[in-house]
Amino acid sequence: MSTPTIDSTPIEHSGPQAPKGAVKGGLLDPKMLLKSLPDAVRKLDPRTLWRNPVMFIVEVGAVWSTILAFVEPSWFAWLIVVWLWLTVIFANLAEAVAEGRGKAQADTLRKAKTDMVARRLTGWAPNVAGTEEEVAAPQLAQGDFVVVEAGQTIPGDGDVVEGIASVDESAITGESAPVIRESGGDRSAVTGGTTVLSDRIVVKITQKPGESFIDRMIALVEGANRQKTPNEIALNILLAALTLIFVFAVATLQPLAIFSKANNPGVPDSLALNGDGISGIVMVSLLVCLIPTTIGALLSAIGIAGMDRLVQRNVLAMSGRAVEAAGDVNVLLLDKTGTITLGNRQASDFVPLPDVTPEQLADAAQLSSLADETPEGRSIVVYAKQEFGLRARTPGELDGAEWVEFTAMTRMSGVNLTDGHQLRKGATNSVAEWIRSNGGSVPNALGAVVDEISAAGGTPLAVGEVRNGTATVLGVIHLKDVVKQGMRERFDEMRKMGIRTVMITGDNPLTAKAIADEAGVDDFLAEATPEDKLALIKREQEGGKLVAMTGDGTNDAPALAQADVGVAMNTGTSAAKEAGNMVDLDSDPTKLIEIVEIGKQLLITRGALTTFSIANDIAKYFAIIPALFVTLFPGLDLLNVMRLHSPQSAILSAVIFNAVVIIALIPLSLRGVRYTPASASKLLSRNLLIYGVGGIVAPFVGIKLIDLVIQFLPGMS
């Protein structure tokens, strides 16, 4: 990760790109502001705005100030009124822009949802064709069976119950490469709106009408179903409490002002302070500047943007609560295969037995693997070429050779050459039995090498030959799970974040420990069953931990449902996707790490802007309080450290800055504060230093600059 710097740069990642048509994060686009402006104006409706208590108070104050400006019109009064209304509109604009980004993505997704006609099968059952009828796709119900052939669009979410087909899911994932969907197993789930490219499949519909995957995705990215998260609700309560406190604080200034003015009859009336105390417009201005309007305006946008950042990475969060929970995760459960390792064992070494040269073993290993189409067999051929310079031969080059393909029964592959030379490669027991059946003996050295490789967590494959009627064992191929590059560094980052990583694998404990040590995970669960996963999650949660995990199979569904953050793979079963609270459209298990980082970025952005907003008040005190009472108490002029032009310009400058800073911070709220792995105390210190100090300094600079500009306006004397 890059060094800690505070700006609006998003989390660095190297993963799948956003869906086609997705709006990517960037500096605020003026066109987006203009496009979102009508929505911002519509949000002025008090029935909508009351859900945001801070901005609701600002709107009430703007209405009251407008009435006062009509009663006692002045340049100062109308300028204050204009900027109070702009403050509310800017706050609504932040939320409207965030929602607008989601709507742009929803428009792209909606293109995949057209008026389709489904070929429903009545009376279908395995080995029974059923009767076909055409119906509108929205009329499909759970349990219906439909047939889809090449070139046709799948009419609804479901599971393949017959056949196998290549499916284009680019409308959902943005990835052009087709995927294979087949009946049975964990790759049977299909999504409505995707297109079958080849063959024919029968799909059992699992959705309810209007509740398809695309329907839910459109509603979620548009923000229609976004509910406030517990953290957001708690922060809203805090902001409401602070607002109430400042309402009482400002209200108590009025009797103080009336009393002080009555006891100083020689002090002339001013626009801010007269015989009736503080003017209503000035009181509203003071209240609006002191309450935490900045974070109140941006809070909703931050939450929407968090879900938007996940959608840009092709992850659909079923609720904002899931995104927030990702930021608080303490334990990360990761599958070994495909997540931590490449997924297939790879050849890593050739160990010859005594009196056998490495080159001789490599040549035999490569020849005996040419008929082995498994990933392990392919890796042996490649390893022999790379490490020993052997040309990658093909079976067709050896005329008259009899090739022995690898099968699960024999657990061996090999070749019988025309000169009677025979080669075999496979499981040590199978090769040893083949050697004995050809009159040879198995040397004791073989057992020692096999035990050493097994102890290191690898898989040993023996290589044997029959030459001139003599059967011998040449050596052993060391296969090992290859840990993905950079995984140890990623886990080190997780550790800095206070997250404990646990590797889940079906391997034996010895192999699991070897992989865990190499990858750098904190713990592992070997020979894991669905019950073991569920028990582990419950045990961690009972200890007060929040757990995140990924899964794609029906057997993962209980654990996904139990986990605080359950990320289901889009290629997985419907049961897995229903159980999880997130779906990864790219089906990339390593993305769970990015999801956690995005969740933490959301929480840190919210905390940073809250700190900045509250720190702003200090500078506003120095701008407004001296301006209000300097005529009564000349000594307060010492607090006018900014040397503002006049009480009127000081108050208006504070109100303008209060509004403009909302617009200035919209890009940061949408893209988020850059997150770098660190302990909670270090992150807190960093936020206090940069956003706390910055929140104090920025208003001093901003208000002074605004004062220099507006001091020449009418009514600013």
Side-chain angles (χ1 to χ4, degrees), residues 322-329 499 565 595-601 603:
V323 186
E324 189 174 283
D328 288 327
V329 161
I499 296 175
V565 179
I595 291 171
V596 171
E597 290 177 341
I598 290 172
K600 288 191 175 294
Q601 186 186 39
L603 297 179

Side-chain angles (χ1 to χ4, degrees), residues 372-659:
D372 184 359
E373 294 297 334
T374 65
E376 292 82 1
R378 297 296 88 204
S379 75
I380 294 170
V381 174
V382 172
Y383 184 78
K385 176 185 176 183
Q386 292 176 342
E387 297 298 321
F388 294 89
L390 296 177
R391 183 173 57 86
R393 292 164 287 189
T394 61
E397 295 180 24
L398 300 176
D399 293 335
E402 179 186 352
W403 297 98
V404 180
E405 296 184 359
F406 177 87
T407 67
M409 293 293 293
T410 63
R411 301 174 67 195
M412 290 190 303
S413 66
V415 60
N416 298 330
L417 301 176
T418 54
D419 60 358
H421 186 196
Q422 300 179 32
L423 294 169
R424 294 293 184 273
K425 174 269 309 175
T428 53
N429 291 339
S430 299
V431 172
E433 185 178 342
W434 179 76
I435 291 290
R436 294 189 186 100
S437 67
N438 282 278
S441 61
V442 178
N444 294 332
L446 177 64
V449 173
V450 168
D451 291 342
E452 183 179 353
I453 292 175
S454 299
T459 300
L461 295 180
V463 179
E465 72 170 359
V466 174
R467 185 189 289 270
N468 299 324
T470 303
T472 57
V473 179
L474 299 178
V476 180
I477 302 169
H478 183 177
L479 295 181
K480 62 178 292 188
D481 275 337
V482 179
V483 175
K484 290 182 178 179
Q485 189 174 3
M487 291 307 295
R488 176 174 283 276
E489 290 74 14
R490 296 297 295 271
F491 292 137
D492 287 342
E493 292 172 1
M494 294 290 108
R495 208 167 288 112
K496 290 178 185 176
M497 295 157 59
I499 296 175
R500 178 168 159 265
T501 52
V502 181
M503 182 184 78
I504 307 295
T505 177
D507 289 338
N508 62 71
L510 200 61
T511 301
K513 185 178 188 307
I515 296 295
D517 291 342
E518 184 179 352
V521 295
D522 298 311
D523 202 355
F524 65 89
L525 177 65
E527 299 176 341
T529 64
E531 293 77 14
D532 293 334
K533 295 179 186 179
L534 188 61
L536 175 61
I537 294 173
K538 289 181 177 180
R539 189 162 60 248
E540 294 289 350
Q541 290 173 332
E542 287 170 0
K545 306 293 185 182
L546 265 68
V547 181
M549 75 160 288
T550 60
D552 59 0
T554 301
N555 62 343
D556 290 323
L560 286 170
Q562 181 67 35
D564 300 284
V565 179
V567 183
M569 301 295 101
N570 191 42
T571 55
T573 62
S574 297
K577 288 193 280 190
E578 288 294 330
N581 49 25
M582 291 187 188
V583 177
D584 177 16
L585 302 180
D586 295 315
S587 301
D588 177 10
T590 60
K591 202 178 290 183
L592 179 58
I593 298 174
E594 281 186 37
I595 291 171
V596 171
E597 290 177 341
I598 290 172
K600 288 191 175 294
Q601 186 186 39
L602 169 66
L603 297 179
I604 288 172
T605 301
R606 191 179 289 161
L609 292 183
T610 301
T611 303
F612 183 89
S613 178
I614 295 175
N616 268 209
D617 291 342
I618 297 176
K620 295 170 190 172
Y621 277 121
F622 282 94
I624 296 182
I625 298 299
L628 284 178
F629 293 100
V630 70
T631 54
L632 281 174
F633 308 107
L636 287 177
D637 190 56
L638 294 173
L639 296 179
N640 185 17
V641 295
M642 288 179 275
R643 313 315 302 168
L644 301 178
H645 175 68
S646 66
Q648 290 84 357
S649 70
I651 295 169
L652 181 59
S653 296
V655 172
I656 292 175
F657 176 84
N658 197 60

Side-chain angles (χ1 to χ4, degrees), residues 60-273:
V60 171
V63 171
W64 177 241
S65 297
T66 304
I67 295 172
L68 294 178
F70 275 110
V71 174
E72 297 181 9
S74 67
W75 275 101
F76 173 76
W78 281 111
L79 285 171
I80 290 290
V81 166
V82 168
W83 281 99
L84 287 177
W85 279 112
L86 285 177
T87 302
V88 185
I89 291 175
F90 289 167
N92 292 342
L93 193 61
E95 184 173 3
V97 168
E99 291 176 349
R101 289 154 61 95
K103 289 177 181 177
Q105 293 164 339
D107 289 341
T108 302
L109 295 170
R110 195 174 278 112
K111 292 176 184 177
K113 186 174 181 290
T114 58
D115 294 331
M116 293 176 288
V117 175
R119 298 166 58 189
R120 184 167 61 187
L121 297 175
T122 303
W124 182 90
N127 302 318
V128 178
T131 304
E132 182 179 320
E133 61 176 338
E134 291 190 352
V135 298
Q139 296 179 9
L140 294 174
Q142 278 183 313
D144 283 348
F145 295 93
V146 295
V147 60
V148 190
E149 295 182 340
Q152 297 180 342
T153 302
I154 298 173
D157 299 350
D159 292 323
V160 178
V161 293
E162 180 182 274
I164 180 172
S166 176
V167 179
D168 176 10
E169 295 187 341
S170 59
I172 303 296
T173 67
E175 297 293 333
S176 58
V179 295
I180 300 299
R181 293 290 178 262
E182 58 185 327
S183 60
D186 293 338
R187 294 186 178 271
S188 61
V190 291
T191 304
T194 58
T195 304
V196 173
L197 298 179
S198 68
D199 302 293
R200 174 186 183 275
I201 53 175
V202 175
V203 177
K204 180 180 180 180
I205 300 298
T206 58
Q207 71 181 49
K208 295 180 180 178
E211 295 184 8
S212 70
F213 188 74
I214 293 183
D215 288 323
R216 286 183 292 156
M217 192 168 182
I218 290 172
L220 286 164
V221 298
E222 285 186 323
N225 292 343
R226 198 188 82 85
Q227 298 180 349
K228 293 185 185 297
T229 64
N231 183 284
E232 200 172 343
I233 293 172
L235 190 52
N236 263 317
I237 293 173
L238 172 63
L239 297 181
L242 288 174
T243 301
L244 192 61
I245 290 171
F246 281 118
V247 167
F248 284 113
V250 171
T252 58
L253 289 178
Q254 186 68 294
L256 175 63
I258 295 172
F259 176 80
S260 300
K261 192 71 169 62
N263 285 277
N264 292 275
V267 177
D269 288 347
S270 67
L271 199 58
L273 192 64

